[in-house]
Amino acid sequence: MKRKLRDLPPALLMLVPSLGLLTVWVIYPLIKAIDYGHKKCDISSRNCRDVGWDRYFSVFQSTQFQDSLIVSLKFTLMTVPIGLVLGIGLAVLADKHLKGIGIFRTIFSSTVATSVAVASLVWFVLLQPSRGILADMLSDWFPVLKNPGLLNDSGTALPAVALSSIWASLGFTFIIIMAGLQSVPRDLYESAFVDGAGSFRRFTNVTLPMLTPSILFVSVVLTTRALQSYGEIDLLTQGGPQATKATTNIPYLIYGNNSVIHNDIGTKSAAAVLLFLLCLAFAALQFRGFGKRVHYGN
Amino acid sequence: MAYGAHVARVRLEHVSKQFGEGDEQVTAVDDISLDIEDHEFMILLGPSGCGKSTLLRMVAGLEDPTAGDVFIGDHRVNDQLPKLRDIAMVFQSYALYPHKTVRANIEFPLKVRGVPKAQRAAEALHAADVLGLTDYMKRKPGQLSGGQRQRVALARAIVRKPAVFLMDEPLSNLDAKLRGDTRTELVDLHRRLDSTFIYVTHDQVEAMTMGSRVAVMNAGRIEQVGTPQEVYDRPASAFVAQFIGTPPMNLLPVGVLGTDDVQVGIRPEHLVLSTGGPLSGTVSMVEHLGHEVLLHAESGAGRLVARVDPASVIPAVGQAVQFDAAPQHLHRFDATSGVRVS
Amino acid sequence: MRTTRTHRFAALAAVGLIAAACSGGDDITDSGDKPATSSTTPGDTLAPTTTVALDLLPDCPTDALETATGTVEIEFWHGMGSVLADELQKLADAYNDSQSKVHVTLSGESYEITIDNYLQASQDSRPDLVQMPEYMVQSMVDTESTVPVGKCIDSSGFDTSEFLPTALTAYSTQGVQWAMPFNVSNPVLYYSKKAFIAAGLDPNDPPESLEELRAYSQQLVDSGAAQYGIALDSGFDSGGGWYVEQWFAQAQEYYADGDNGRTNRATQVLYNNQTGVDLLTYVQTMINDGLAISVGDNASGTDDLLKIADESAPAAMAIHTSAALGGALELLKSGVFKQLGADDLGIGRMPGPDGNPGALIGGASLWPVNSGDPVKVAATWDFISYLVSAENQSEWAATTGYVPVRTDALTVEPYKTILDTDSRFSVAYDQLKASPDALTSAGPVVGPLRQIRAVLATAVAKIFGGDDVKTALDEAATQANNLIADYNTSNGG
Amino acid sequence: MATDAVRGARKVGRYSLLVFVAVVVLFPIYAVLLQALKSGPDAFDHPRSLLPVDLTLDTIRAAWTEGDLGHLLMNSLFVSSVVTVGVIVTSLLAAYAFAFLNFPLKGATFALFLATMLVPAEVTVVINQRTADSLGWMNSYQGLIVPSLASTFGVFLVRQVFLQIPKELREAASLDGVGHMRFLYEVAAPLSRPTLGALGLFTFLGTWNAYLWPSQVINDDEHRTIQIGLNSLKTPNDISKFNLLTGGLVVAALPIFIMLVVFQRQLVRGLTAGAVKG
């Protein structure tokens, strides 16, 4: 007991910077946002009145939130599994002792250097229907690239944003999975080989199980990114095409320039808190689903 | 307490230590009182989990006693920070700073205390010299062998010239040969230094060969304190009797060679082959160890082990034998408490 | 312990998702309390004309600058990007160099970010002057944070006789001149003269009415001169929102009640009336007949213009803000597009119902902020009056493609020469000048106009895609009326 | 066992696959780079040529001056560097408390730390903008830097490393009278250097790439960072600058690509540190 208290002053001193910053910039705004969620405010968000906590339910049930929730879920389902599979594929491909493999590894991890802004604008330059490089090169085979443009078509806009996002995350996924692969003890492969397991069986019985911590980590990070993606939407489609709002995900519903709740801090906060709960639920599901199957090296 | 002022008597009075709370509470040290004289080499001996390390750590100040008092010299040090207790400690894992050189490791305690650079270098060199480390001063711990690391840890301890040395199983990570050599060195070191040593081990050989006194601990209590010879010759309890000595003392079932409330113990060297002796059995195994032979026999009183002269006639396995023992070599312990009765 | 909690979370989330799937969809703007006015029918609730009590508004002590000691520092947040920002900076630098009483510092972002930053900021950290696009009028009034420019005009005796009436009216409601028009633009028709010639059309006689637009398009497509007649977009700042407002102005109809919100606070939009249905049915037919092509939301802002320069499937025309003219000509001059030079670009007035002239002004205006410091307010006014001088408006219009807010700017260099040598720069001005001086031509003033445009843009995009016109417009109108009611409840309506 | 011929064929197959995938992954970067290295009429040939001919730095140079990219880069560099150092310091301190000290509610406090990791920026940005505003930090380096100075991820990462430092090391030091701060900078921090390097790189990248917060807190040219500045090269009102964007992209991405090549090992360690120890 005494010892615990003896450590308290230094502990407080050491925690104060982080704890103070987190309190001011994360915890306080979170609480404040939860509070705003049941208020309605004027254009400057200063004079507010209470509209009741059931606002959270009505926001959740509103058409716009439901639509954007579906977009968010679709986007997550497009980016996470495909990103994972591609990342694992690249890593397995590059996990061989071949001459010059280092160059390929550098190339595969290169997109980690692109920010959301850079990656999105790269794809903007590629996909712009009249001047885009890809649009120009491939429109004979894929007319949609030109008319109305991959980012302007209700059917292809979200997959196109997802493509940009998958590409941007590929380097990250590759690096993590690659590191996971390299930490698999070689004798495991050798013993599986001796046991007569073919390369596919070695992959499913040795590689994948040993990769579970890396896969869990990547999937949590990718899911969080997918659920919180804003920059790529803002730069590529601005939530459009408007007819279907095909890329208005929850963050864009909250922050998008032409969102109907753009100037309504109360509704925005309520939607943001709901997004937070969604992220929590996803993280919990992933840890639960994966948790028991994760093999930690130590 | 000032650096180098040696008042090295260590006194523990009714010291207890509990870990955990509520149902999960565990008593690691249970009301121990112990007096360690100045310049004594005190061994705390016991099986793992008996509380000996906890006791040592309370002397060091790394744990606070739940009850009781710890004195170093004339001062009650319960509330004193470790650095003020004039002690040095050698850990089982040596606890060397892996990123610092040998020299920096040895100098570090002095540096912390603000000893001037030149003096600190000289003293580190002296300590290194004492332990034969002068050739390795620029290496880092990772580049040293286990024995060398252990000596660096010792050097780091002696450089401070503490009143009390605390050692927590410092030899357990060494191989058998090195352990033997280091035992001798430690005894030598103790002789040369004007310090009290408190040494924790579970190895009775270390206890017997190095200690000026041994405190045998079991389940948080001290069973016996005495010189190694006393502890061996007159074990204060059945536990001590069995813990000290290899092979351990034969403990006969209650009633055999004694009364219903007394258990009798006989050391293997005191069990002699004697036709018509009171303990009969069948030889189950014969161990030839060169200078002696260990004879294992199954008897009505359980398994017996006798140490016999290799020059004598050794019975074969399966042969029926009888043993006897001189009355002065019988140790009697209370059947329920295990305490020595005579 | 941890797993139990995790389980509970997961279960909760699952329940939530299922509940979500089953629940009905209300509008998100209904999510507070139901506004009382949402059930009334459009047009019924015209309140009597109100005027704002001028005495209650902050004063503009323009002579306070005389009392200032030393240089007065003022801060100006604007929404200009790239070359426009550079040009604005040039004007400000010249101002700073020309006198020592006032020094202005510029901060530029997009309009959207400027708006957000301004609205979120406390009054203390707001700038002394802010530039706001035309759709922000009612919102800015409701922040009660500015000094009405009208008071400055009165107090300083500033002469506004040379100003375009429509430009001034755009920024006044209920008798108060709130802001000073600065960068005025309006949509014009951009077209490829080359395509017109190839189709046998007169490259100097662009279509003016919607009927002509259709006929021209037909001929362009039939002749093979272009794949499409016109490129349309459904961006909320252009084809999806703003242009519809333009067409209502050209048809001399109100877009919102309360005389476009200028006599009274608006409570309803009116665009789902017959005029709206006719207009958008026209557009839909154009697309269905292959005469027009939708370039979508125009998220990049230039998709429609680039369609004119497209090699493989060009459109011959596009409606786009006049503000882009300078940049477009510069781009074409650089020779990036081999098949289209700067001289091949034609500019015509925005084709509208019955070929009526007239356009609503777009662009933005200058709002002096009520900092509470008379000296700063006076200094801000000094800078405003500098920016809208004939000389500077001439300079500004010449480099940007914006329309001068005053007629005498046309007679001053460098704009004068440009007009003389390139008539394309005068089109936007001419159609603005020709606008009738009526409230229908002043455009709607509605609190959440930005959101209303977004809502309409969705409807327009749906109509482009083939949805029923009336249904789409009605849906949008309902949603817009909700927004207005919701806004009015929260903002002293 | 496979024959040499089969093995050779496999090798060829594997290399072709590697090359093909590498081309696909690199294509966007290559295409944009190529676009940036062309100017005027060459930039928009139809059909577009992918051969590196007639290259010029004109577009990049124009983007550099037009977008004031030098200034933007310096801002990003300054902000990212300060945040990196700050995060390392705050993470070290907090991680030390969690790893080496005992105090009431330690578990709860740590859980609170971890929980903040899950709060999306979308929830906090609006309120944080207010906070920055009331502190007078709009359009300032403080506004860009201070809110990012604490990193839950950093605390978590450093704590993991600290937990692997033998307890005896701390005990030995405390017997010598080494205080917490001294142990931190003389023993614990040096021992975690690889992780700190990784954390630093990770933080630097994250700050360099930040988009949402800088766009909300900065409203002037003086403090704008490169990510936000890029958007001004894509401004809707100015059609003439279409190709400048590619030049800007190259300038914005280049420093990070160089960093990636130079610090590849640290980067990998930084990214994997979170994964391996979950």
Side-chain angles (χ1 to χ4, degrees):
Chain A
M1 264 305 138
K2 233 181 319 164
R3 183 168 298 272
K4 272 196 169 185
L5 292 179
R6 188 194 294 162
D7 282 355
L8 189 57
L12 278 179
L13 277 177
M14 292 176 142
L15 285 176
V16 152
S18 297
L19 207 54
L21 286 165
L22 289 176
T23 307
V24 174
W25 301 103
V26 181
I27 297 168
Y28 164 76
L30 175 64
I31 294 169
K32 196 82 181 156
I34 292 172
D35 181 51
Y36 268 125
H38 82 301
K39 285 179 172 167
K40 199 115 207 173
C41 304
D42 68 358
I43 183 84
S44 302
S45 312
R46 293 238 150 31
N47 300 313
C48 303
R49 68 205 151 79
D50 196 327
V51 291
W53 290 104
D54 54 350
R55 153 83 81 79
Y56 279 99
F57 289 100
S58 44
V59 166
F60 187 76
Q61 289 177 355
S62 68
T63 324
Q64 286 93 337
F65 189 86
Q66 299 274 309
D67 289 350
S68 60
L69 175 67
I70 288 167
V71 171
S72 278
L73 295 179
K74 270 195 207 160
F75 188 68
T76 309
L77 284 179
M78 284 180 204
T79 53
V80 180
I82 296 178
L84 261 177
V85 168
L86 287 180
I88 294 173
L90 286 193
V92 169
L93 194 59
D95 186 35
K96 287 287 181 306
H97 298 285
L98 290 173
K99 211 176 271 177
I101 198 73
I103 298 166
F104 289 103
R105 287 183 188 163
T106 305
I107 291 174
F108 294 166
S109 51
S110 62
T111 68
V112 81
T114 60
S115 63
V116 168
V118 168
S120 306
L121 291 173
V122 160
W123 283 90
F124 172 76
V125 169
L126 291 176
L127 292 178
Q128 205 284 334
S130 298
R131 294 287 116 196
I133 300 160
L134 270 185
D136 191 78
M137 286 173 48
L138 302 177
S139 62
D140 287 349
W141 296 280
F142 305 102
V144 66
L145 282 167
K146 194 100 212 164
N147 182 15
L150 216 52
L151 293 165
N152 296 335
D153 184 272
S154 285
T156 56
L158 192 63
V161 179
L163 175 67
S164 141
S165 181
I166 290 169
W167 178 78
S169 296
L170 199 56
F172 166 78
T173 314
F174 170 77
I175 288 174
I176 303 283
I177 303 286
M178 189 74 215
L181 270 184
Q182 290 181 336
S183 67
V184 176
R186 294 288 133 176
D187 49 6
L188 272 183
Y189 285 113
E190 283 158 13
S191 83
F193 189 72
V194 170
D195 290 343
S199 59
F200 180 73
R201 282 193 148 263
R202 286 204 297 275
F203 179 74
T204 52
N205 289 325
V206 180
T207 313
L208 273 187
M210 294 307 287
L211 277 181
T212 45
S214 312
I215 294 177
L216 171 66
F217 178 75
V218 170
S219 73
V220 168
V221 171
L222 290 186
T223 306
T224 312
R225 275 191 200 171
L227 289 175
Q228 299 181 12
S229 51
Y230 173 81
E232 50 268 64
I233 309 274
D234 191 37
L235 291 164
L236 286 176
T237 61
Q238 302 186 347
Q242 290 305 323
T244 49
K245 300 226 184 293
T247 59
T248 300
N249 61 359
I250 301 177
Y252 207 75
L253 174 71
I254 300 169
Y255 277 94
N257 275 323
N258 42 14
S259 166
V260 289
I261 58 171
H262 189 84
N263 284 332
D264 182 351
I265 193 171
T267 313
K268 267 166 102 162
S269 299
V273 171
L274 291 174
L275 173 67
F276 172 45
L277 293 179
L278 188 72
C279 294
L280 274 184
F282 259 90
L285 280 174
Q286 275 164 318
F287 275 106
R288 191 196 157 190
F290 263 104
K292 293 167 204 153
R293 262 159 284 175
V294 169
H295 299 262
Y296 286 104
N298 48 349
Chain B
M1 195 167 293
Y3 168 71
H6 294 159
V7 188
R9 188 169 172 229
V10 177
R11 203 145 45 86
L12 305 169
E13 287 186 1
H14 301 290
V15 173
S16 292
K17 176 71 185 177
Q18 268 118 32
F19 289 107
E21 275 161 33
D23 291 345
E24 290 169 15
Q25 195 175 61
V26 174
T27 302
V29 170
D30 189 4
D31 192 27
I32 282 182
S33 296
L34 181 63
D35 240 330
I36 300 162
E37 297 301 327
D38 193 17
H39 200 250
E40 193 168 12
F41 199 135
M42 171 61 83
I43 308 273
L44 301 180
L45 176 68
S48 63
C50 72
K52 56 190 189 299
S53 283
T54 307
L55 195 62
L56 189 77
R57 291 166 61 81
M58 285 193 283
V59 176
L62 296 172
E63 304 279 359
D64 289 331
T66 316
D69 299 310
V70 179
F71 293 88
I72 296 178
D74 300 326
H75 297 265
R76 182 175 173 276
V77 295
N78 283 40
D79 300 321
Q80 211 164 36
L81 287 173
K83 62 172 174 179
L84 301 175
R85 295 188 182 194
D86 200 15
I87 48 161
M89 186 157 167
V90 177
F91 293 82
Q92 184 177 353
S93 62
Y94 316 138
L96 300 177
Y97 304 114
H99 59 298
K100 289 183 190 286
T101 61
V102 168
R103 178 193 302 281
N105 261 289
I106 300 174
E107 279 187 23
F108 190 59
L110 303 177
K111 191 175 157 196
V112 172
R113 276 152 199 257
V115 176
K117 207 170 179 179
Q119 187 188 343
R120 163 168 117 201
E123 293 190 19
L125 197 63
H126 176 70
D129 191 33
V130 168
L131 289 151
L133 288 167
T134 38
D135 291 345
Y136 309 109
M137 294 298 262
K138 284 184 182 149
R139 298 214 190 153
K140 290 193 176 169
Q143 300 162 301
L144 299 178
S145 72
Q148 288 165 335
R149 284 186 220 178
Q150 201 269 346
R151 288 214 292 277
V152 177
L154 277 173
R156 191 177 64 181
I158 67 172
V159 77
R160 282 184 38 202
K161 304 195 180 101
V164 183
F165 262 108
L166 307 176
M167 302 193 197
D168 191 356
E169 311 225 14
L171 305 185
S172 62
N173 286 348
L174 302 182
D175 61 47
K177 164 88 171 69
L178 205 51
R179 214 181 296 171
D181 296 348
T182 317
R183 281 206 303 264
T184 331
E185 278 180 34
L186 276 178
V187 172
D188 190 45
L189 193 65
H190 175 247
R191 197 170 40 73
R192 279 190 283 163
L193 296 177
D194 185 21
S195 301
T196 305
F197 278 38
I198 307 178
Y199 186 106
V200 163
T201 183
H202 64 274
D203 181 345
Q204 50 160 318
V205 179
E206 287 176 19
M208 301 304 281
T209 52
M210 292 158 65
S212 29
R213 277 200 299 161
V214 180
V216 184
M217 291 183 64
N218 180 32
R221 294 176 154 276
I222 291 182
E223 298 261 342
Q224 184 173 13
V225 184
T227 65
Q229 205 56 50
E230 279 168 10
V231 171
Y232 187 82
D233 289 346
R234 280 182 68 78
S237 66
F239 172 80
V240 176
Q242 281 233 293
F243 192 73
I244 304 226
T246 318
M249 184 183 279
N250 295 298
L251 270 189
L252 306 178
V254 177
V256 179
L257 294 188
T259 52
D260 275 356
D261 55 350
V262 163
Q263 193 178 17
V264 170
I266 310 162
R267 293 220 177 265
E269 60 266 37
H270 297 140
L271 209 55
V272 291
L273 281 168
S274 151
T275 312
L279 300 164
S280 57
T282 314
V283 176
S284 59
M285 183 166 70
V286 180
E287 285 183 272
H288 294 274
L289 299 176
H291 65 290
E292 62 184 26
V293 171
L294 297 180
L295 207 58
H296 297 250
E298 297 298 332
S299 78
R303 165 172 289 218
L304 297 171
V305 181
R307 180 174 277 147
V308 295
D309 186 344
S312 63
V313 181
I314 311 294
V317 172
Q319 194 177 328
V321 288
Q322 287 90 40
F323 296 105
D324 199 358
Q328 71 271 23
H329 291 142
L330 299 188
H331 304 263
R332 293 166 202 278
F333 306 102
D334 186 281
T336 43
S337 69
V339 175
R340 186 178 192 91
V341 292
S342 65
Chain C
M1 192 65 188
R2 206 170 119 193
T3 7
T4 348
R5 222 173 285 157
T6 315
H7 276 258
R8 216 172 297 150
F9 249 132
L12 212 68
V15 169
L17 289 175
I18 292 163
C22 300
S23 63
D26 285 332
D27 194 275
I28 198 164
T29 49
D30 292 343
S31 63
D33 41 3
K34 285 271 180 194
T37 48
S38 64
S39 60
T40 51
T41 48
D44 280 356
T45 53
L46 279 186
T49 306
T50 55
T51 41
V52 177
L54 263 179
D55 314 347
L56 299 178
L57 295 171
D59 284 323
C60 184
T62 48
D63 48 2
L65 195 54
E66 315 291 324
T67 67
T69 50
T71 307
V72 183
E73 289 287 341
I74 59 168
E75 205 186 335
F76 175 26
W77 288 2
H78 65 81
M80 304 277 86
S82 202
V83 279
L84 300 178
D86 294 345
E87 187 53 33
L88 189 57
Q89 186 67 53
K90 241 182 258 170
L91 287 176
D93 288 344
Y95 174 72
N96 287 336
D97 293 343
S98 71
Q99 43 76 50
S100 56
K101 290 228 117 183
V102 183
H103 183 268
V104 60
T105 312
L106 269 55
S107 296
E109 272 288 358
S110 66
Y111 282 142
E112 287 82 4
I113 293 175
T114 306
I115 291 167
D116 289 347
N117 287 342
Y118 184 84
L119 291 180
Q120 288 303 316
S122 63
Q123 186 70 1
D124 288 345
S125 43
R126 282 171 175 158
D128 301 290
L129 178 62
V130 65
Q131 182 191 25
M132 283 286 167
E134 83 287 346
Y135 54 80
M136 282 301 291
V137 172
Q138 186 64 51
S139 294
M140 282 301 287
V141 170
D142 288 330
T143 60
E144 299 176 356
S145 62
T146 65
V147 177
V149 156
K151 284 209 170 185
C152 303
I153 292 173
D154 292 348
S155 139
S156 62
F158 185 76
D159 179 16
T160 58
S161 60
E162 292 285 341
F163 278 62
L164 286 175
T166 40
L168 281 175
T169 322
Y171 297 105
S172 72
T173 66
Q174 298 171 42
V176 181
Q177 184 69 42
W178 293 100
M180 179 62 85
F182 167 63
N183 52 322
V184 170
S185 62
N186 50 47
V188 291
L189 184 75
Y190 289 67
Y191 62 94
S192 160
K193 291 186 175 177
K194 267 190 169 174
F196 271 43
I197 294 167
L201 294 163
D202 181 354
N204 296 314
D205 182 26
E208 295 196 336
S209 70
L210 296 179
E211 294 72 28
E212 277 177 2
L213 180 62
R214 188 178 164 92
Y216 275 57
S217 298
Q218 193 74 56
Q219 196 167 332
L220 283 159
V221 173
D222 290 348
S223 66
Q227 178 93 25
Y228 307 101
I230 184 166
L232 297 170
D233 74 273
S234 54
F236 87 111
D237 251 350
S238 46
W242 191 39
Y243 299 171
V244 179
E245 293 165 31
Q246 299 286 343
W247 277 329
F248 267 78
Q250 287 174 323
Q252 294 176 19
E253 289 218 32
Y254 287 119
Y255 179 93
D257 66 357
D259 300 345
N260 269 353
R262 292 186 184 268
T263 315
N264 294 296
R265 195 179 267 270
T267 61
Q268 318 276 337
V269 293
L270 308 171
Y271 57 61
N272 54 337
N273 60 14
Q274 196 54 47
T275 309
V277 174
D278 289 348
L279 276 168
L280 285 151
T281 308
Y282 164 83
V283 173
Q284 194 179 47
T285 319
M286 288 278 285
I287 292 175
N288 288 346
D289 296 348
L291 302 177
I293 175 74
S294 160
V295 296
D297 310 332
N298 207 5
S300 74
T302 49
D303 288 352
D304 55 337
L305 282 187
L306 287 171
K307 198 72 187 157
I308 302 181
D310 195 353
E311 284 95 345
S312 53
M317 298 176 275
I319 298 172
H320 202 86
T321 173
S322 60
L325 180 54
L329 291 178
E330 204 181 304
L331 177 70
L332 294 179
K333 267 180 216 151
S334 75
V336 165
F337 304 112
K338 285 171 184 155
Q339 80 288 15
L340 199 70
D343 292 338
D344 299 327
L345 185 70
I347 300 293
R349 74 150 80 135
M350 179 176 172
D354 309 325
N356 284 340
L360 303 177
I361 72 154
S365 56
L366 304 171
W367 296 73
V369 179
N370 181 19
S371 59
D373 180 351
V375 176
K376 290 211 169 199
V377 172
T380 304
W381 170 248
D382 192 64
F383 180 58
I384 292 175
S385 50
Y386 164 86
L387 283 181
V388 296
S389 70
E391 293 74 21
N392 289 321
Q393 279 293 306
S394 166
E395 168 76 30
W396 176 246
T399 33
T400 60
Y402 278 114
V403 172
V405 295
R406 49 196 299 163
T407 43
D408 50 359
L410 275 66
T411 60
V412 182
E413 292 298 351
Y415 196 52
K416 182 172 182 297
T417 311
I418 291 199
L419 286 184
D420 291 347
T421 53
D422 192 343
S423 62
R424 290 176 291 192
F425 278 90
S426 66
V427 174
Y429 177 84
D430 289 342
Q431 72 175 358
L432 199 58
K433 187 100 170 81
S435 296
D437 188 10
L439 290 182
T440 48
S441 301
V445 168
V446 189
L449 186 54
R450 188 177 172 196
Q451 284 78 44
I452 288 173
R453 279 186 185 168
V455 167
L456 182 57
T458 301
V460 170
K462 283 181 180 167
I463 292 167
F464 282 5
D467 278 24
D468 180 66
V469 176
K470 177 68 178 157
T471 316
L473 286 179
D474 280 346
E475 271 172 19
T478 309
Q479 215 186 337
N481 294 342
N482 266 334
L483 280 166
I484 297 173
D486 192 44
Y487 176 92
N488 286 349
T489 336
S490 300
N491 291 282
Chain D
M1 277 281 109
T3 65
D4 280 355
V6 170
R7 218 175 293 156
R10 258 193 214 158
K11 212 172 208 178
V12 169
R14 187 168 283 278
Y15 271 117
S16 341
L17 194 56
L18 278 167
V19 169
F20 172 75
V21 174
V23 165
V24 170
V25 170
L26 271 189
F27 176 77
I29 296 170
Y30 173 76
V32 168
L33 183 65
L34 193 66
Q35 188 78 24
L37 289 173
K38 295 186 171 187
S39 101
D42 295 335
F44 293 106
D45 275 348
H46 176 76
R48 203 69 52 85
S49 159
L50 284 177
L51 298 175
V53 286
D54 294 331
L55 301 186
T56 153
L57 284 174
D58 285 356
T59 304
I60 293 178
R61 214 175 282 135
W64 180 269
T65 31
E66 192 73 38
D68 200 9
L69 296 184
H71 183 72
L72 296 172
L73 283 174
M74 285 314 290
N75 276 343
S76 281
L77 186 67
F78 172 72
V79 169
S80 305
S81 306
V82 175
V83 168
T84 301
V85 173
V87 161
I88 288 178
V89 171
T90 59
S91 300
L92 275 174
L93 288 173
Y96 187 91
F98 285 126
F100 290 108
L101 299 178
N102 271 310
F103 51 92
L105 296 177
K106 178 169 152 179
T109 317
F110 189 63
L112 183 74
F113 258 77
L114 287 190
T116 60
M117 226 181 329
L118 289 168
V119 180
E122 276 81 0
V123 179
T124 54
V125 158
V126 172
I127 315 288
N128 284 346
Q129 201 185 11
R130 287 276 187 87
T131 310
D133 179 59
S134 60
L135 292 168
W137 286 2
M138 297 298 286
N139 297 323
S140 72
Y141 289 117
Q142 298 96 290
L144 276 173
I145 291 169
V146 176
S148 312
L149 284 183
S151 158
T152 312
F153 174 72
V155 174
F156 182 71
L157 201 62
V158 179
R159 173 182 163 271
Q160 291 297 105
V161 185
F162 279 1
L163 287 179
Q164 285 163 26
I165 295 177
K167 205 178 61 180
E168 286 86 2
L169 227 50
R170 175 69 198 117
E171 292 177 344
S174 82
L175 291 177
D176 286 337
V178 176
H180 294 301
M181 286 310 287
R182 181 151 197 175
F183 185 73
L184 177 56
Y185 83 81
E186 197 145 355
V187 180
L191 283 180
S192 352
R193 207 157 30 196
T195 303
L196 294 180
L199 172 64
L201 203 63
F202 190 80
T203 309
F204 190 93
L205 268 182
T207 315
W208 183 276
N209 290 342
Y211 184 78
L212 184 59
W213 176 245
S215 77
Q216 302 293 315
V217 79
I218 296 303
N219 187 29
D220 66 0
D221 296 331
E222 198 189 331
H223 302 96
R224 192 170 294 138
T225 59
I226 182 80
Q227 304 297 330
I228 310 305
L230 272 188
N231 212 2
S232 75
L233 293 177
K234 185 206 166 216
T235 172
N237 281 332
D238 196 4
I239 185 176
S240 73
K241 305 296 187 227
F242 184 74
N243 206 27
L244 283 191
L245 181 57
T246 56
L249 285 174
V250 170
V251 174
L254 204 61
I256 300 297
F257 271 107
I258 294 171
M259 257 178 77
L260 173 73
V261 172
V262 176
F263 296 112
Q264 199 169 13
R265 189 166 304 165
Q266 285 87 339
L267 180 78
V268 169
R269 201 189 337 241
L271 293 174
T272 51
V276 176
K277 291 294 159 199

